[in-house]
Amino acid sequence: MPRQKPLPFSDEFSSPEEYTEALLEFTQTSRMFQMLCGGVHILDFFTTNPGLFYAAMPEEWHEFLLSQDIMRLLNYFVREDLDSTTFENGIKPPSTLLDYLKTIRRLTLRREYTSNDSKLPALARPVSAGMNIKKVHEVKNFADYVDRLSTEVSDTTGQTISHFVDFGSGQNYLGRALASEPYNKNVVAVEGRENNVDAAKQYDMKAGLAIKPKIYRNKKLWNKICEVRGNDKKDDPEATAAAIKQVLGEDDGEKFRKIGQDEVKYSMEVGKGHIQYVYGRLEHGDLSEIVNKIESLDIGDEKKKNLQLMAISIHSCGNLSHFGIRSLLLNDDIRAVAIVGCCYNLLTEKLGPPTYKHPFLRPSLQPVNGRVKRESERHDPQGFPMSNKLSTYKDEGVRLNITARMMACQAPQNWSDADSHRFFTRHFYRAVLQKIFIDRGVTKQVRHIGGDATEEDSPFEKSTNPVTIGTLRKSCYASFTAYVRGVIEKLTTSTEYKQHADVMREKMGDITDEEINEYEQRYAPRQKELSIVWSLMAYSATIVEALIVTDRWTFLKEHSDVVEDAWVETVFDFHLSPRNLVVVGVKKANA
């Protein structure tokens, strides 16, 4: 079972230890990396003079970066050969920029994956119901992967996997595939949202994995519900639930909706797959409560002794990935784990906010909403980093603020021209709006060490108090004026943002379209500055993800008394699913 290369690092490195040391040394000493991954934010872009581009980028980079079309630059950063690429008029990138770009590529984990979709067992139509192209690709490939992994575990350690425990199973697309032909696996789907479990059970019945109960209803009442829902949505469980609530009200509707659904039956037969749902939100890796609920064909006192579990997950958000990985150590019955993480911005921080010894990885002030503030301030033993190596590196440990972790969720290699234009435009709108907010007194600049900011302060000693906006209607991005008007409307009418309403009415209520247009015209020539830095931020953050994944693998390797083997590899086509790295751990037979 041991892999020749337990981490998918560049062939330039001779061992995972050499790679890890190079990764840590660069990320903890490179001021440019720390600047781009945690030290700058789009809200600050136009709030200082001459602007964040000039403050953040080395002077010798300015002429080259500003002389190139932004898509030309993006292609150069992520797709082209850095040494052989030529530019118009014979201009060459500065050597320091070239060295930086090469270092990022050198330290980025390899993401290549040869898709075998055409050779994998096809998902039956009822099993693939509700899946888009991306989800079908993920489910097909991961179901095949964990099936092969379970065989490998059995052959190597003699531990025959009896059940797959899916963390954050959602609507159980993966579990449904594993329980169906040709895999016929026993699946324990752990999900914290009851509506997801209800929807999953509806899909299970369509796939023939559950027995549809006979449901007795008031026919006249049911006909009225069907009329409200519409015949075109008769196979949509969410539309049906909404119609029931509309007709009967919230309380009665909830009761009526569940008639029969709680009676969905799952038969257990030798040689056939089985699904069991366990409702609950995980707060740690101790699965004893879940294990105690697992159903088995075995009977008598030996039942629990025959459980051999593999914890699996496709795109478990934030700390849920940590819970899955830790479950290998905290539960005797968990024999292997295979976890694909995502949503790094939702990770908590084990070591607390970055210290001021790291000048650019400052505590991120944006976006300061309740959850982000709580998570960034608490010292959570469940958070990042997991491993002792990263927790104690050079006596200070490795810290990543939320801005760096949010950027690690990007995939610049996949950005099309249209995607890039959309990103850049939205970020430009938000940056200019922040300047309007400051000028009109909606918010103000603050110093990171406390107090109001001054003109003499460095751009990296201050930031703006943010105003959280969230999502807007698509029509709000049709123009900058529409964007500003959409923000004002949302922040003065939405109950979610009622704390901003009075300030917004007072400070922004009288702004005219002419004033909005004047701001746009003033800063439009500088949009490229923001687009360049955003592209470099996303490019650099590929090794933020490498840090997070390497930390998870290192954590498993540090527990060699329990863990037989651990590795990381790709399981999806990056162009379809960029969070494509699975962290695998296999427990020793006698542990």
Side-chain angles (χ1 to χ4, degrees):
M1 187 158 37
R3 263 57 179 173
Q4 182 178 2
K5 188 185 286 188
L7 284 171
F9 48 75
S10 167
D11 290 336
E12 297 178 50
F13 300 99
S14 60
S15 68
E17 292 76 21
E18 181 186 356
Y19 166 75
T20 301
E21 283 301 323
L23 176 68
L24 291 173
E25 176 67 22
F26 175 75
T27 57
Q28 300 309 292
T29 60
S30 169
R31 291 170 67 87
M32 181 52 58
F33 171 78
Q34 293 174 358
M35 176 95 69
L36 291 169
C37 291
V40 295
H41 195 282
I42 61 166
L43 294 187
D44 302 324
F45 230 86
F46 302 127
T47 60
T48 59
N49 288 313
L52 208 54
F53 172 84
Y54 295 96
M57 297 293 98
E59 186 175 353
E60 67 266 25
W61 294 12
H62 295 173
E63 181 181 0
F64 171 76
L65 293 173
L66 292 173
S67 70
Q68 303 299 315
D69 174 77
I70 183 59
M71 285 309 300
R72 180 72 186 81
L73 280 177
L74 185 59
N75 285 331
Y76 178 59
F77 294 160
V78 302
R79 299 184 182 97
E80 298 177 356
D81 184 280
L82 294 173
D83 288 316
S84 63
T85 299
T86 58
F87 297 87
E88 292 182 5
N89 302 322
I91 190 170
K92 295 182 179 179
S95 60
T96 52
L97 172 61
L98 184 60
D99 289 344
Y100 180 80
L101 297 175
K102 285 182 175 180
T103 302
I104 296 297
R105 285 204 190 179
R106 178 170 173 262
L107 293 172
T108 298
L109 292 174
R110 308 300 97 169
R111 311 303 286 272
E112 295 82 5
Y113 179 71
T114 302
S115 177
N116 294 314
D117 282 12
S118 61
K119 298 179 181 179
L120 298 178
L123 299 179
R125 184 177 296 274
V127 174
S128 64
M131 299 187 200
N132 57 23
I133 293 174
K134 175 177 180 288
K135 182 59 69 176
V136 168
H137 172 78
E138 291 168 349
V139 169
K140 283 180 64 175
N141 282 270
F142 203 59
D144 175 73
Y145 180 83
V146 297
D147 176 54
R148 288 185 287 109
L149 178 61
S150 66
T151 300
E152 189 175 352
V153 169
S154 177
D155 292 343
T156 305
T157 67
Q159 303 165 156
T160 301
I161 299 300
S162 64
H163 295 73
F164 294 84
V165 182
D166 188 0
F167 281 72
S169 59
Q171 297 188 6
N172 200 31
Y173 298 119
L174 174 62
R176 197 169 300 112
L178 284 169
S180 301
E181 295 284 352
Y183 303 113
N184 293 311
K185 303 296 184 182
N186 295 318
V187 176
V188 181
V190 183
E191 172 56 36
R193 296 181 180 178
E194 197 169 359
N195 62 319
N196 277 339
V197 174
D198 289 343
K201 290 180 178 180
Q202 296 297 306
Y203 284 128
D204 291 346
M205 288 188 288
K206 292 180 182 179
L209 294 168
I211 301 170
K212 187 174 183 179
K214 292 183 178 180
I215 300 177
Y216 301 95
R217 297 188 173 104
N218 182 315
K219 188 172 183 180
K220 184 182 293 186
L221 191 58
W222 178 245
N223 288 339
K224 186 175 181 180
I225 291 168
C226 292
E227 181 181 347
V228 170
R229 178 199 60 201
N231 192 53
D232 59 324
K233 295 183 179 180
K234 64 180 181 179
D235 294 325
D236 185 342
E238 293 183 1
T240 300
I244 291 172
K245 288 184 179 181
Q246 182 177 339
V247 173
L248 298 177
E250 187 73 24
D251 295 334
D252 289 340
E254 186 70 12
K255 182 178 178 180
F256 186 90
R257 180 174 70 88
K258 291 191 173 187
I259 291 179
Q261 287 194 19
D262 288 346
E263 301 168 11
V264 172
K265 302 296 183 183
Y266 291 84
S267 62
M268 301 186 70
E269 302 177 38
V270 175
K272 290 191 175 182
H274 174 260
I275 296 175
Q276 178 188 352
Y277 291 93
V278 177
Y279 173 76
R281 295 184 180 277
L282 295 174
E283 297 294 337
H284 43 69
D286 183 355
L287 304 185
S288 55
E289 291 186 12
I290 292 172
V291 171
N292 289 334
K293 296 177 182 178
I294 293 177
E295 300 168 356
S296 173
L297 281 171
D298 302 317
I299 57 175
D301 295 337
E302 297 299 315
K303 172 181 173 181
K304 290 296 182 288
K305 294 181 181 180
N306 293 328
L307 291 178
Q308 303 284 333
L309 312 177
M310 180 187 291
I312 61 174
S313 183
I314 296 179
H315 297 155
S316 48
C317 294
N319 282 9
L320 192 57
S321 294
H322 289 186
F323 302 156
I325 293 169
R326 283 196 172 95
S327 72
L328 186 66
L329 308 178
L330 298 178
N331 304 271
D332 292 340
D333 296 305
I334 301 290
R335 310 309 302 176
V337 296
I339 307 294
V340 183
C342 74
C343 301
Y344 306 126
N345 53 303
L346 299 180
L347 284 171
T348 57
E349 297 174 20
K350 177 179 177 181
L351 305 178
T355 69
Y356 292 103
K357 293 179 181 180
H358 299 79
F360 302 121
L361 273 177
R362 51 181 168 73
S364 180
L365 296 178
Q366 50 278 2
V368 176
N369 56 45
R371 183 198 63 77
V372 170
K373 185 174 179 62
R374 287 193 303 272
E375 302 301 358
S376 65
E377 289 183 348
R378 69 173 177 161
H379 294 237
D380 185 356
Q382 305 287 347
F384 173 87
M386 295 184 72
S387 68
N388 182 64
K389 183 176 184 64
L390 270 71
S391 297
T392 61
Y393 185 72
K394 292 189 175 179
D395 297 326
E396 294 184 356
V398 176
R399 293 169 166 88
L400 296 171
N401 68 11
I402 189 173
T403 304
R405 289 183 277 111
M406 288 178 71
M407 293 307 301
C409 300
Q410 298 292 324
Q413 300 92 322
N414 288 353
W415 294 356
S416 65
D417 287 5
D419 292 333
S420 302
H421 176 74
R422 184 168 59 252
F423 294 153
F424 297 151
T425 299
R426 292 187 176 195
H427 296 325
F428 172 70
Y429 286 175
R430 184 63 186 90
V432 177
L433 178 62
Q434 191 71 4
K435 175 61 175 171
I436 297 176
F437 281 167
I438 287 179
D439 290 350
R440 286 184 151 257
V442 174
T443 187
K444 63 181 180 179
Q445 290 184 312
V446 295
R447 303 177 72 192
H448 299 144
I449 58 175
D452 293 342
T454 67
E455 288 294 328
E456 290 73 31
D457 290 329
S458 159
F460 306 110
E461 294 176 335
K462 60 187 177 182
S463 185
T464 58
N465 268 330
V467 176
T468 304
I469 293 173
T471 58
L472 297 171
R473 301 185 307 273
K474 185 177 180 180
S475 60
C476 293
Y477 296 96
S479 68
F480 184 58
T481 301
Y483 176 80
V484 175
R485 296 296 179 199
V487 170
I488 294 173
E489 178 186 6
K490 180 173 183 178
L491 296 186
T492 54
T493 61
S494 172
T495 56
E496 183 181 358
Y497 298 90
K498 59 184 178 181
Q499 71 271 25
H500 298 307
D502 291 341
V503 173
M504 290 299 294
R505 291 190 193 98
E506 176 188 352
K507 304 294 186 180
M508 297 291 292
D510 63 346
I511 193 168
T512 64
D513 287 354
E514 289 74 19
E515 186 176 353
I516 295 171
N517 290 331
E518 192 278 328
Y519 270 95
E520 181 179 18
Q521 294 303 313
R522 185 192 314 171
Y523 291 102
R526 297 175 57 187
Q527 181 175 348
K528 179 186 279 191
E529 298 172 14
L530 186 151
S531 301
I532 290 169
V533 176
W534 176 261
S535 298
L536 281 169
M537 289 168 66
Y539 176 76
S540 302
T542 57
I543 60 174
V544 173
E545 182 172 31
L547 272 174
I548 294 170
V549 172
T550 299
D551 171 59
R552 294 170 178 179
W553 172 79
T554 302
F555 171 81
L556 289 172
K557 294 298 290 183
E558 288 175 347
H559 291 83
S560 57
D561 57 327
V562 175
V563 179
E564 175 73 26
D565 195 14
W567 66 89
V568 175
E569 61 183 314
T570 56
V571 285
F572 308 132
D573 183 334
F574 184 86
H575 297 293
L576 284 172
S577 184
R579 306 282 77 80
N580 70 341
L581 295 170
V582 62
V583 178
V584 177
V586 178
K587 185 175 288 183
K588 288 184 174 181
N590 59 353

